[in-house]
Amino acid sequence: LKLSNYPVFHHLRGISVIHGDLNVLTEKVRAYVEDKIDLCQPDTIHICDGTDRENSNLLNLLQKQGTIVPLPKYQNCWLARTNPADTARVESKTFICTEKKSDTIPTPEEGVKGSLGNWMSPEHMDKEVIARFTGCMKKRTMYVIPFSMGPVGSPLSKIGIQLTDSAYVVASMRIMTRIGQAVTNIMDDTTEFVKCLHSVGTPLNGVVENPSWPCDPERTLILHKPQTNEIVSYGSGYGGNSLLGKKCFALRIGSTIAKREGWLAEHMLILGITKNGKKRYIAAAFPSACGKTNLAMMTPTLPGYKVECVGDDIAWMRFDENGQLRAINPENGFFGVAPGTSNASNPIAMKTIFKNTIFTNVAQTSDGGVYWEGMENEINDNVEITDWLGKPWNKNSKTPAAHPNSRFCTPAKQCPIIDPLWESPEGVPISAILFGGRRPVGVPLIHEAKNWRHAVFMGASLRSEATAAAEHKGKIIMHDPFAMRPFFGYNFGHYLQHWLNMEKRTTNLPKVFLVNWFRKGSDGKFLWPGFGENCRVLDWILKRLDNEDCADNTPIGLIPKKDSLNLEGLNGIDMSELFKLDAEFWEQEINAIQKYFEEQVGKDLPPAIREECDKLKNEIKNM
Ligand code: GTP
Ligand code: SPV
Ligand code: MN
């Protein structure tokens, strides 16, 4: 296997560099790599250059190892099947490491188990790291991935160096971030970078059960040390645990940097919407698997509207010198939920994902394509289907064909409606922020925050049905403040104060709304058609941005005045059910939120949020 045209006589700590040029690494990067070579003891080193040729060599290698299979129905598409024990983020094994516990998580009430993140001491972290990483890359290659979150060289971008023993991770990072020469070219000895160490690991007994997808689920651990901008992830190859630029860097470490530097790192999509030639940008925070990718790529059903996509998962936002909030998407690709994606629900995604894409844990068709729940009308009746576990599957099977958290990993630039400014170094101007979640009961289709404090309270109170994106079982309603619960890099109480402080940075705050596409009727069916029809809700938001008098005040916020939500051409919408405000429901809701704040955030809860809570409680009494 000829891996490169680089000479093979370079060594680092006595280990051969089999690909790439050592000289592109700065002193600081080299010192970091050497330190981790001593710890992990790889057989060989591969310094990623990001070239097409490197990529096709890695894909060949992965195919030879049986990690991926080609999907000949499409162009340069691949299917990876993970170990069935390694299919989602593991929140219970994800920790933030700080000297003081209270820097990481609020102190819960006595006898209450904290649910706003996990803390570990740095000493404990060092012990756990040594136990897992010592010699963990023996007989393996250590890949060195220089990467940029955000357009290379943008003042808002940040650089990372990920070390990993997984070629799948390299191929995926190449799609999700900007990697290689473009990044090393702009680095010098003063360049700061986030240190990201990853190994898929080997179980303690030394037996790798599934050699095509090595992992160590029993000892999986994902650690973050904000003080030194360091991430260490062991035991899992699944995206959210292994593509360290994404949740670990862009959100957890990112939010701690953002706190220090006065900006926001959020679990938000960014979209541009044009109506009658006037364009606005909107950011929206929904919990995992709750509709960000779908909204970011929406095809509006109303004539005269155009939606363009800047990003589908993460926004880095700051107020510029004119007090305008600006956002960049730090990512370079979409790591999107596959099930439910179809030409009916998300035709734009369908036009994006059938070239240069790595699919993970979807089902496979006998004509060399993919299949998942929701694609029933997209495949030939005569094809045979193999499920994500590699077993024959048919429509009568009792288990799903694709894992509910199966994903596509696809380049953003392939999206036919990618926004012309999606790589703009200064970011796009944000006019509105949306929060949302899966609320089958009680929460109306849309309501608007009364002011900034109320908006922060709204984000803090966000709740949603659990999804397959993490290890939670069943469809319980979980608190998921700001859709960030799994991704806070520091104490949530301090995070709330940081958001409240934004009021001091500008006189031009974005308007804030809460949407719920998921309310159900007594028949158990969704009351709102969703997807492309969500443009009707965006249309109402645009009217509010233009200060149109189209909202009525209610105890929970502003809702559309009668007939102000454009329902033209849409039949059978039960508006009274969609917007019904039930006093009993809201009393329970505010009590649950108050209990959550008192138990989980306690003395770290900013007084302004406690006041908002009391205010709402009083207003609900008059409902
Ligand atoms: P992460 O990538 O996990 O952060 O999730 P995401 O928020 O990007 O989720 P995504 O857009 O992929 O949505 C996942 C699920 O929500 C899919 O099953 C979709 O079919 C469903 N969904 C998205 N939008 C709507 C909608 O407007 N109505 C309904 N009923 N379902 C929706
Ligand atoms: C999420 O779970 O919110 C995702 C997918 O966007 S992952 O990158 O795996 O976390
Ligand atoms: Mn996400």
Side-chain angles (χ1 to χ4, degrees):
L1 189 70
K2 201 169 142 224
L3 266 176
S4 78
N5 47 3
Y6 295 99
V8 187
F9 44 70
H10 288 301
H11 291 82
L12 210 51
R13 307 294 285 173
I15 311 295
S16 321
V17 177
I18 56 162
H19 181 104
D21 185 356
L22 262 180
N23 299 314
V24 304
L25 306 182
T26 68
E27 283 297 317
K28 275 197 281 188
V29 172
R30 193 192 281 236
Y32 171 60
V33 178
E34 286 179 341
D35 188 42
K36 298 312 169 199
I37 288 174
D38 291 348
L39 176 66
C40 305
Q41 304 160 30
D43 265 22
T44 50
I45 313 290
H46 174 131
I47 298 164
C48 297
D49 54 29
T51 57
D52 289 343
R53 185 185 153 130
E54 171 185 69
N55 186 48
S56 62
N57 284 336
L58 288 175
L59 292 169
N60 280 336
L61 177 72
L62 283 165
Q63 190 180 352
K64 245 173 64 185
Q65 290 171 348
T67 310
I68 60 173
V69 294
L71 294 165
K73 190 170 171 185
Y74 321 117
Q75 188 193 325
N76 188 30
C77 286
W78 305 83
L79 167 61
R81 282 197 207 103
T82 73
N83 180 314
D86 188 25
T87 59
R89 283 182 292 99
V90 277
E91 293 176 3
S92 60
K93 299 182 175 198
T94 302
F95 291 78
I96 310 289
C97 306
T98 50
E99 291 289 345
K100 273 169 45 201
K101 188 173 180 176
S102 59
D103 285 343
T104 292
I105 47 176
T107 311
E109 238 173 39
E110 227 171 271
V112 175
K113 196 187 170 312
S115 63
L116 280 159
N118 303 308
W119 170 80
M120 192 183 277
S121 73
E123 299 74 53
H124 190 177
M125 169 169 172
D126 291 344
K127 228 175 69 197
E128 299 291 355
V129 168
I130 286 167
R132 286 167 179 75
F133 280 85
T134 307
C136 72
M137 295 189 188
K138 278 184 181 154
K139 302 204 191 95
R140 291 181 184 162
T141 296
M142 175 191 272
Y143 298 92
V144 179
I145 317 171
F147 66 98
S148 173
M149 297 310 289
V152 176
S154 155
L156 302 186
S157 298
K158 305 251 177 242
I159 286 173
I161 301 290
Q162 176 159 351
L163 313 179
T164 178
D165 53 9
S166 160
Y168 167 87
V169 166
V170 178
S172 305
M173 282 291 282
R174 184 174 190 268
I175 297 170
M176 295 306 297
T177 73
R178 288 110 175 145
I179 74 165
Q181 278 158 354
V183 181
T184 48
N185 281 347
I186 63 155
M187 294 182 76
D188 63 29
D189 274 322
T190 65
T191 309
E192 301 279 336
F193 60 93
V194 174
K195 304 182 178 89
C196 307
L197 173 63
H198 169 255
S199 172
V200 293
T202 307
L204 266 179
N205 64 8
V207 182
V208 177
E209 239 172 69
N210 176 351
S212 67
W213 190 273
C215 59
D216 188 3
E218 301 241 312
R219 292 197 298 160
T220 291
L221 206 53
I222 296 130
L223 308 172
H224 310 69
K225 205 177 195 176
Q227 203 188 347
T228 52
N229 285 344
E230 235 177 314
I231 299 160
V232 179
S233 167
Y234 173 91
S236 166
Y238 168 74
N241 305 324
S242 71
L243 312 181
L244 301 188
K246 200 170 174 50
K247 298 300 157 78
C248 299
F249 178 166
L251 290 179
R252 297 196 193 97
I253 292 293
S255 65
T256 66
I257 299 173
K259 171 83 180 348
R260 284 199 295 274
E261 296 181 356
W263 49 279
L264 302 164
E266 300 298 334
H267 192 204
M268 291 182 181
L269 69 90
I270 308 163
L271 64 80
I273 178 163
T274 308
K275 171 188 179 184
N276 301 332
K278 184 169 176 186
K279 183 161 187 180
R280 258 75 60 98
Y281 288 93
I282 296 175
F286 308 158
S288 303
C290 289
K292 288 186 299 302
T293 305
N294 278 272
L295 190 66
M297 297 181 190
M298 187 200 357
T299 305
T301 53
L302 287 176
Y305 290 77
K306 184 163 88 176
V307 165
E308 287 162 294
C309 176
V310 177
D312 82 328
D313 198 48
I314 297 172
W316 283 355
M317 306 195 287
R318 67 173 80 205
F319 289 97
D320 68 13
E321 62 277 13
N322 303 317
Q324 172 64 55
L325 184 62
R326 289 188 171 273
I328 66 163
N329 166 17
E331 300 194 275
N332 190 47
F334 306 121
F335 186 59
V337 178
T341 309
S342 70
N343 280 310
S345 66
N346 192 346
I348 299 296
M350 295 295 274
K351 288 194 184 81
T352 307
I353 61 179
F354 294 119
K355 49 183 192 275
N356 309 315
T357 297
I358 301 174
F359 295 89
T360 300
N361 288 337
V362 302
Q364 194 180 6
T365 58
S366 52
D367 61 347
V370 292
Y371 179 80
W372 50 72
E373 281 53 40
M375 268 182 85
E376 292 77 7
N377 299 329
E378 321 273 342
I379 56 158
N380 257 326
D381 275 345
N382 51 18
V383 298
E384 281 158 31
I385 293 172
T386 306
D387 74 7
W388 70 280
L389 293 161
K391 302 213 173 73
W393 184 94
N394 65 55
K395 282 172 186 162
N396 302 317
S397 299
K398 296 210 162 51
T399 49
H403 187 279
N405 192 42
S406 55
R407 301 228 168 210
F408 50 77
C409 179
T410 197
K413 63 167 187 273
Q414 290 180 187
C415 176
I417 59 160
I418 199 74
D419 193 82
L421 293 183
W422 84 282
E423 295 191 280
S424 143
E426 68 272 20
V428 297
I430 298 295
S431 302
I433 292 176
L434 275 48
F435 294 113
R438 291 177 181 261
R439 295 304 302 266
V441 182
V443 180
L445 179 64
I446 178 160
H447 62 291
E448 179 185 333
K450 298 170 189 183
N451 52 54
W452 188 250
R453 287 178 176 207
H454 183 220
V456 178
F457 170 80
M458 226 178 210
S461 320
L462 201 63
R463 302 173 76 193
S464 189
E465 231 172 33
T467 66
E471 71 267 45
H472 310 290
K473 298 270 177 281
K475 287 192 163 185
I476 47 161
I477 303 287
M478 296 176 70
H479 290 272
D480 196 343
F482 289 80
M484 278 285 282
R485 184 190 40 74
F487 311 121
F488 291 123
Y490 63 97
N491 185 317
F492 170 56
H494 305 168
Y495 170 97
L496 285 175
Q497 191 57 55
H498 186 55
W499 263 77
L500 288 166
N501 290 349
M502 293 300 146
E503 206 166 17
K504 297 177 202 149
R505 290 185 178 267
T506 184
T507 51
N508 182 22
L509 285 161
K511 278 197 195 300
V512 176
F513 303 83
L514 196 143
V515 298
N516 177 27
W517 319 138
F518 299 93
R519 194 169 187 170
K520 289 178 175 172
S522 49
D523 57 359
K525 293 199 173 123
F526 291 121
L527 288 164
W528 180 250
F531 304 102
E533 304 294 2
N534 292 333
C535 72
R536 298 167 189 275
V537 176
L538 297 186
D539 167 64
W540 187 79
I541 290 169
L542 293 181
K543 290 197 234 179
R544 292 296 300 150
L545 296 182
D546 289 333
N547 292 315
E548 217 174 280
D549 176 21
C550 58
D552 283 331
N553 207 1
T554 81
I556 66 163
L558 305 159
I559 63 168
K561 271 201 162 100
K562 195 171 169 345
D563 299 331
S564 69
L565 191 71
N566 183 347
L567 295 180
E568 220 176 288
L570 204 57
N571 296 318
I573 302 295
D574 189 340
M575 288 293 277
S576 70
E577 275 300 304
L578 256 179
F579 282 96
K580 190 161 125 195
L581 295 180
D582 181 74
E584 205 177 311
F585 169 86
W586 278 100
E587 203 182 303
Q588 282 172 18
E589 181 72 5
I590 189 69
N591 285 337
I593 290 162
Q594 192 168 39
K595 180 161 179 263
Y596 180 69
F597 287 167
E598 295 307 336
E599 286 187 356
Q600 291 290 334
V601 200
K603 68 171 175 40
D604 290 318
L605 190 72
I609 298 298
R610 190 167 282 125
E611 282 162 28
E612 284 300 319
C613 203
D614 290 339
K615 236 194 278 179
L616 181 56
K617 203 166 177 169
N618 271 325
E619 296 211 30
I620 285 170
K621 279 190 191 129
N622 310 323
M623 219 155 159

